[in-house]
Amino acid sequence: MTNQTRLASTDELESIFQRELLSNRWAATETSFALAVRHRDLGDWPASREWVQQCLLLLEGFPSDSEEQVATARTSVGGVQLPTYLHSGVVEERFGALG
């Protein structure tokens, strides 16, 4: 686990994502959002867009009919703050539409 007082590197976050993808797809979805934020903040727009797409793809597998279903389980991942609720509308609001 990364130290929450510093930002995790994108490599660290990608390693976390790979582990979570096998064991906890919601956690992996949160981590993909964090990766999109980190890459955007680093100015790597192509990588950020790839992680936005990954996040949206994972979100398709979850119901989003109520706040409880879209509430994030963590407040941050690798030092990146997560939104309170995570669904496609939030992702598009933060990153813009990909289409």
Side-chain angles (χ1 to χ4, degrees):
M1 197 64 171
T2 59
N3 179 344
Q4 294 299 311
T5 61
R6 71 166 182 86
L7 286 177
S9 71
T10 55
D11 287 342
E12 289 172 310
L13 285 173
E14 286 184 31
S15 177
I16 292 167
F17 171 81
Q18 292 301 328
R19 284 193 309 272
E20 290 172 343
L21 195 56
L22 298 173
S23 62
N24 183 337
R25 290 182 67 83
W26 183 254
T29 304
E30 293 176 348
T31 300
S32 66
F33 180 88
L35 275 156
V37 170
R38 284 290 288 135
H39 281 290
R40 181 193 64 198
D41 291 351
L42 292 169
D44 187 345
W45 306 112
S48 179
R49 289 179 71 76
E50 286 179 27
W51 285 105
V52 167
Q53 289 173 328
Q54 179 65 60
C55 183
L56 290 171
L57 182 65
L58 287 167
L59 283 170
E60 288 177 6
F62 293 100
S64 60
D65 300 321
S66 69
E67 287 183 351
E68 292 81 21
Q69 292 173 324
V70 297
T72 51
R74 303 174 282 185
T75 58
S76 69
V77 175
V80 176
Q81 288 298 119
L82 295 175
T84 303
Y85 303 107
L86 186 55
H87 54 81
S88 60
V90 169
V91 174
E92 289 178 10
E93 179 182 300
R94 302 277 176 102
F95 294 96
L98 294 180

